[in-house]
Amino acid sequence: MLELPSGRLVRGRGLRNGPAEAPFPTYGVYLLGSAPPAVEWESRWLRWPDFRLPRDRAEAREVFLDALERSGSERVEFACAGGRGRTGTALACLAVLDGAPAAEAVAYVRRNYSPHAVETFWQKRYVTRFQ
């Protein structure tokens, strides 16, 4: 679970670690190169190959803004296969949208979510340039 600068909570997880635990999300964003498994809650698939960046960056920004808005009143989760690279990158972008300076967002997520979040140089650069 990541507490964003505003105090909103967003869960990050790895899909390979098994199904979501209760309390279940009311909205999930799945960051995968291929279609995610079916879930019982509302969800969005953002095409994002492993170790890379979102295929459509404009769509990614829209998804992040929507998820941030929902996190004020809903249980929101972000997940990729391992829960670190793509998920950490998305959480860092959420932190930027929530008020964290882009240059500090990766460190914020590594400190408050996982020290292994945001795995590649390109993911880190994407966050530092994210607006």
Side-chain angles (χ1 to χ4, degrees):
M1 189 70 70
L2 174 68
E3 183 175 340
L4 294 168
S6 66
R8 293 175 183 217
L9 297 175
V10 178
R11 178 166 55 188
R13 72 181 180 97
L15 294 172
R16 74 172 71 130
N17 297 330
E21 296 179 7
F24 298 113
T26 56
Y27 182 68
V29 177
Y30 301 101
L31 315 162
L32 299 165
S34 57
V39 292
E40 296 180 21
W41 45 86
E42 187 179 354
S43 67
R44 180 85 183 257
W45 170 30
L46 184 58
R47 293 173 196 258
W48 192 330
D50 201 7
F51 297 107
R52 300 209 179 164
L53 299 174
R55 296 239 170 152
D56 184 331
R57 294 179 191 181
E59 178 187 18
R61 181 175 171 65
E62 290 173 19
V63 169
F64 299 158
L65 284 167
D66 181 47
L68 180 63
E69 171 101 14
R70 288 170 178 257
S71 71
S73 60
E74 297 180 49
R75 289 185 308 275
V76 174
E77 83 166 0
F78 278 76
C80 63
R84 294 183 177 182
R86 293 168 284 185
T87 297
T89 302
L91 293 175
C93 291
L94 281 181
V96 171
L97 292 171
D98 198 49
E104 299 171 20
V106 171
Y108 179 86
V109 170
R110 287 179 175 166
R111 209 173 34 253
N112 295 291
Y113 170 67
S114 169
H116 305 289
V118 188
E119 294 176 315
T120 72
F121 167 81
W122 300 108
Q123 291 170 344
K124 184 174 181 181
R125 191 170 94 168
Y126 176 69
V127 173
T128 59
R129 294 180 175 185
F130 189 79
Q131 299 178 359

